[in-house]
């Protein structure tokens, strides 16, 4: 089940996204001056569009710019997959300087989901690994942008971290925006900055669940399930041996859930975490997720999980964005003795109750004896 890739040879990729006018250009130019990115490759859509500071440019040709800090910038040629393959081939052949990370900046109107999916698809996934998604939202136009543009909501919903900019300008609505961001994606880290206190390039680093060196605690930080609980710590029910657990004096079939519904009227976003105490059967998990994807491919914005699969001593990492699932990966070990399976769902118009109904249906079918051949 776990993939056979060698994660130590794969290059981490960070996605920088955000709607038009959010401040991505300013932030990127700030980061490009940081020596921490000296061994990075930066992919942008159009150099003219991104507005790289001319003081940073050492040399350039049609589609590649070398910066004074040592890092390399290039534009998307054809599509992102072709660009990544071209970069890797030139790196291997020694035609460009070696790089140890990639930063991809998307256009302001871009749907970031296909970009994430490209990094989960072979052959790209054999050479690159998705590190994290950073979404930039400005405190002045952010609330109205989220209300009017579904693409902006998606950018926040799939983010690992949200960077709030322009907090020091007149008209900034920082508190209201942070509340809305927490409603859309409570598990994303939030970084608030102004013109003088921009985050350093270290914000590009974070729990890298697909790195060869990832530790159990880093994996827990990546999942970050606790914000989805309703204002209390995780509870662990008593397993009854039949897949059910006992919580607060009554039985929940198959799982206890930490749920927090976040559904501003204009987004219809829900986020929740499902916890399973008993080990899960992989065929049932696979059938469950396949059924959800087939019936509602656009409603599953992001799914993240660390699972205890029967027959496996080590936890399994699960991640999906809409229609596409990353190949399951095995972690080195569990963080402590707690082996509860946890799955975080961020959906659009897809309720926790429905997700659990599909799970119940899959389990019931799996428990029915096979029909006898005539």
């Amino acid at each position: 089940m776990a993939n056979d890739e060698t994660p130590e040879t794969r290059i981490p990729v960070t996605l920088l996204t955000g709607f038009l006018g959010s401040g991505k250009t300013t932030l990127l130019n700030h980061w490009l001056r940081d020596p921490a990115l000296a061994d990075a490759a930066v992919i942008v859509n159009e150099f003219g569009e991104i507005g790289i500071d001319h003081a940073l440019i050492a040399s350039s040709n049609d589609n590649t710019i070398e910066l004074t800090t040592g890092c390399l910038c290039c534009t998307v040629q054809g599509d992102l997959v072709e660009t990544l393959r071209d970069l890797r081939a030139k790196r291997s052949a020694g035609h460009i300087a070696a790089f140890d990370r990639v930063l991809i900046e998307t256009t302001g109107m871009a749907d970031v989901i296909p970009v994430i999916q490209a990094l989960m698809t072979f052959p790209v996934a054999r050479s690159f690994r998705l590190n994290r998604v950073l979404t930039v939202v400005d405190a002045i136009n952010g609330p109205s942008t989220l209300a009017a543009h579904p693409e902006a909501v998606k950018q926040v919903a799939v983010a690992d971290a949200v960077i709030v900019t322009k907090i020091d300008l007149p008209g900034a609505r920082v508190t209201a925006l942070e509340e809305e961001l927490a409603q859309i994606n409570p598990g994303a880290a939030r970084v608030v900055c102004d013109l003088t206190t921009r985050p350093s390039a270290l914000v590009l680093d974070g729990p890298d669940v697909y790195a060869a060196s990832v530790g159990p605690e880093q994996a827990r930080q990546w999942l970050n399930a606790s914000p989805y609980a309703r204002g209390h710590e995780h509870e662990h029910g008593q397993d009854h041996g039949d897949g059910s657990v006992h919580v607060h004096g009554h039985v929940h079939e198959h799982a206890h859930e930490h749920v927090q519904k976040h559904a501003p009227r204009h987004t219809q976003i829900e986020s929740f975490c499902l916890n399973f105490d008993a080990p899960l059967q992989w065929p049932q998990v696979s059938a469950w997720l396949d059924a959800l994807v087939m019936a509602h491919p656009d409603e599953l914005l992001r799914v993240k999980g660390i699972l205890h699969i029967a027959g496996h001593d080590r936890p399994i990492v699960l991640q999906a964005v809409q229609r596409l699932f990353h190949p399951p990966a095995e972690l080195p070990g569990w963080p402590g003795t707690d082996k509860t399976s946890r799955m975080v769902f961020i959906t659009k118009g897809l309720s926790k109750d429905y997700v659990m109904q599909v799970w119940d249906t899959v389990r019931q079918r799996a428990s029915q004896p096979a029909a006898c051949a005539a």
Side-chain angles (χ1 to χ4, degrees):
M1 173 179 43
N3 61 59
D4 296 326
E5 297 168 3
T6 54
E8 64 273 10
T9 66
R10 294 192 294 157
I11 300 169
V13 180
T14 301
L15 301 185
L16 176 64
T17 189
F19 215 69
L20 293 169
S22 62
K24 292 194 309 299
T25 301
T26 303
L27 197 55
L28 182 59
N29 276 304
H30 171 67
W31 286 339
L32 290 178
R33 290 179 166 82
D34 195 318
L37 290 186
D39 296 321
V42 181
I43 298 175
V44 298
N45 288 277
E46 293 292 342
F47 289 137
E49 195 174 291
I50 193 62
I52 292 176
D53 192 330
H54 289 289
L56 289 167
I57 298 174
S59 63
S60 64
N61 58 31
D62 289 342
N63 64 338
T64 303
I65 289 180
E66 292 185 13
L67 301 182
T68 55
T69 55
C71 70
L72 176 80
C73 290
C74 70
T75 53
V76 175
Q77 297 173 281
D79 62 25
L80 179 61
V81 172
E82 292 178 9
T83 301
L84 287 169
R85 293 174 67 179
D86 183 60
L87 268 179
R88 184 62 186 258
K90 288 180 178 178
R91 176 182 182 267
S92 299
H95 295 158
I96 60 175
F99 53 89
D100 58 12
R101 69 160 75 198
V102 176
L103 172 61
I104 299 175
E105 185 275 337
T106 69
T107 62
M109 293 292 290
D111 184 350
V112 72
I113 286 176
V115 182
I116 298 174
Q117 290 176 330
L119 294 168
M120 295 182 177
T121 306
F122 293 115
V124 170
R126 291 191 180 278
S127 299
F128 300 92
R129 68 177 190 264
L130 176 63
N131 179 11
R132 64 196 323 221
V133 179
L134 305 178
T135 298
V136 183
V137 182
D138 77 90
I140 298 175
N141 299 311
S144 59
T145 299
L146 292 170
H149 299 282
E151 298 87 352
V153 175
K154 281 186 183 179
Q155 290 170 352
V156 172
V158 300
D160 296 293
V162 178
I163 302 173
V164 179
T165 60
K166 305 181 183 180
I167 64 169
D168 53 338
L169 297 182
R173 293 175 286 171
V174 181
T175 301
L177 177 59
E178 285 203 272
E179 289 176 355
E180 186 163 9
L181 295 175
Q183 289 177 337
I184 297 171
N185 187 345
R190 285 190 296 283
V191 180
V192 180
C193 63
D194 57 31
L195 291 175
T196 59
T197 58
R198 300 187 190 101
S200 74
L202 293 177
V203 76
L204 302 175
D205 298 318
D208 190 345
V209 76
Y210 296 115
S213 59
V214 64
E217 189 56 39
Q218 288 177 300
R220 176 177 286 181
Q221 292 172 7
W222 168 80
L223 184 61
N224 197 22
S226 59
Y228 300 90
R230 256 187 205 166
H232 51 71
E233 297 299 322
H234 287 291
E235 300 149 351
H236 302 284
Q238 177 184 352
D239 187 8
H240 291 261
D242 60 354
S244 64
V245 294
H246 193 268
V247 183
H248 293 315
H250 62 280
V251 174
H252 288 273
E253 289 298 322
H254 314 307
H256 61 278
E257 307 93 30
H258 291 152
V259 181
Q260 190 166 6
K261 291 186 178 181
H262 298 295
R265 291 185 179 182
H266 65 277
T267 62
Q268 298 180 336
I269 298 294
E270 288 197 42
S271 56
F272 49 90
C273 181
L274 304 179
N275 294 350
F276 299 83
D277 288 340
L280 301 172
Q281 300 294 326
W282 179 252
Q284 294 178 9
V285 174
S286 180
W288 174 37
L289 297 174
D290 283 347
L292 289 172
V293 168
M294 290 177 64
H296 300 279
D298 296 324
E299 284 81 2
L300 284 176
L301 295 181
R302 192 169 187 182
V303 180
K304 299 196 299 184
I306 297 178
L307 309 182
H308 184 189
I309 300 298
H312 288 257
D313 294 331
R314 297 191 290 181
I316 302 299
V317 173
L318 183 76
Q319 182 169 203
V321 175
Q322 283 195 338
R323 298 170 175 82
L324 192 65
F325 280 79
H326 190 286
E330 202 171 54
L331 292 174
W334 289 92
T337 59
D338 179 14
K339 295 185 178 181
T340 301
S341 296
R342 292 180 171 88
M343 296 183 67
V344 170
F345 287 78
I346 298 179
T347 70
K348 184 174 183 180
L350 196 62
S351 71
K352 176 266 303 184
D353 291 338
Y354 177 78
V355 170
M356 288 305 299
Q357 287 173 12
V358 176
W359 170 246
D360 289 338
T361 300
V362 168
R363 281 181 55 89
Q364 291 167 5
R365 289 179 178 175
S367 65
Q368 293 174 353
C372 297

